Amino acid sequence: EAGVAQSPRYKIIEKRQSVAFWCNPISGHATLYWYQQILGQGPKLLIQFQNNGVVDDSQLPKDRFSAERLKGVDSTLKIQPAKLEDSAVYLCASSLAGPGDGYTFGSGTRLTVV
Amino acid sequence: AQKVTQAQTEISVVEKEDVTLDCVYETRDTTYYLFWYKQPPSGELVFLIRRNSFDEQNEISGRYSWNFQKSTSSFNFTITASQVVDSAVYFCALFNYGQNFVFGPGTRLSVLP
């Protein structure tokens, strides 16, 4: 079974630029999550999708971050404009339903904002 | 409020030593799940174990064992006879429906040859 795919693996941008990350979940997984992991901290949930609908985006900084999940499969997370404090690893995860159902993380995208 | 505390920021041991990683959680819910994940230098989070709040049986999987004690809200993780490949950051996490995941800050384990 293929895992959760994310790209790019690394990205370096200047502050105020825009950036987008892509995630392809495990086939058949209805639920998709984006997490932000700042260096030295545990992951923090940004947004959760159930199919193509948003379930929880309470911790997403909506003034600069946006996410979509077209057709309930792939998802993109965008930051516009980026700030220095957005430097982090952005992890995507998927599960069949809740975390009792094969919750799997991707390898993440490491973003550096300079 | 939900919270996970991993008081040990970094631990160093010599290969073949046993090591215990501590995890203390806070939640008002009676139904919840506890997890341990391993994050090697490559960055992905590797699932190790899931335990629901109604199952306090300790579990052993090879060199890994977990001690769940609801009375002290702890879910500690022990690696027996540690190996260099065990070097990673280990995260304890708490989940319940409607609150989603809360991760602890992680414990960096270094196993020296």
Side-chain angles (χ1 to χ4, degrees):
Chain A
E1 176 184 76
V4 175
Q6 289 189 248
S7 67
R9 190 76 175 90
Y10 303 94
K11 190 75 176 178
I12 301 174
I13 62 171
E14 295 182 350
K15 60 184 179 183
R16 291 188 288 272
Q17 284 188 323
S18 302
V19 65
F21 313 126
W22 174 82
C23 173
N24 188 312
I26 291 175
S27 178
H29 278 195
T31 310
L32 185 147
Y33 312 78
W34 283 102
Y35 285 83
Q36 180 192 59
Q37 186 179 14
I38 293 172
L39 185 66
Q41 299 181 17
K44 182 186 82 171
L45 179 70
L46 292 176
I47 189 168
Q48 176 188 347
F49 291 94
Q50 182 77 18
N51 296 309
N52 60 353
V54 175
V55 174
D56 181 357
D57 64 356
S58 56
Q59 297 194 83
L60 187 73
K62 298 181 188 63
D63 57 333
R64 298 183 301 105
F65 285 65
S66 64
E68 60 181 5
R69 189 180 184 194
L70 300 175
K71 301 179 182 178
V73 183
D74 294 7
S75 177
T76 56
L77 175 69
K78 297 178 182 177
I79 308 175
Q80 180 180 8
K83 293 185 175 181
L84 295 176
E85 58 261 37
D86 298 332
S87 295
V89 174
Y90 290 85
L91 293 160
C92 180
S94 70
S95 67
L96 282 170
D101 300 306
Y103 203 100
T104 304
F105 283 87
S107 297
T109 296
R110 184 178 297 276
L111 173 67
T112 302
V113 182
V114 297
Chain B
Q2 304 216 120
K3 185 179 178 181
V4 175
T5 302
Q6 294 178 256
Q8 304 145 309
T9 305
E10 293 192 38
I11 303 176
S12 288
V13 298
V14 176
E15 207 170 18
K16 298 183 184 174
E17 285 185 357
D18 298 347
V19 59
T20 295
L21 309 182
D22 297 333
C23 172
V24 173
Y25 63 93
E26 294 176 29
T27 181
R28 293 180 182 172
D29 295 299
T30 56
T31 302
Y32 52 89
Y33 293 89
L34 294 164
F35 293 76
W36 275 95
Y37 282 90
K38 174 182 180 180
Q39 189 172 46
S42 53
E44 75 274 22
L45 281 164
V46 178
F47 168 83
L48 295 178
I49 190 171
R50 174 181 67 107
R51 172 68 76 234
N52 76 54
S53 52
F54 298 107
D55 181 4
E56 284 194 74
Q57 264 196 321
N58 292 328
E59 181 158 335
I60 297 174
S61 176
R63 297 184 297 108
Y64 296 168
S65 62
W66 291 269
N67 185 330
F68 177 26
Q69 302 224 347
K70 283 181 79 170
S71 60
T72 57
S73 297
S74 65
F75 187 44
N76 296 338
F77 172 33
T78 298
I79 302 174
T80 303
S82 59
Q83 299 176 3
V84 173
V85 293
D86 295 328
S87 297
V89 180
Y90 290 85
F91 290 97
C92 180
L94 169 68
F95 176 93
N96 58 25
Y97 290 97
Q99 303 272 357
N100 235 305
F101 264 107
V102 173
F103 281 82
T107 296
R108 180 177 298 278
L109 174 64
S110 297
V111 181
L112 308 174

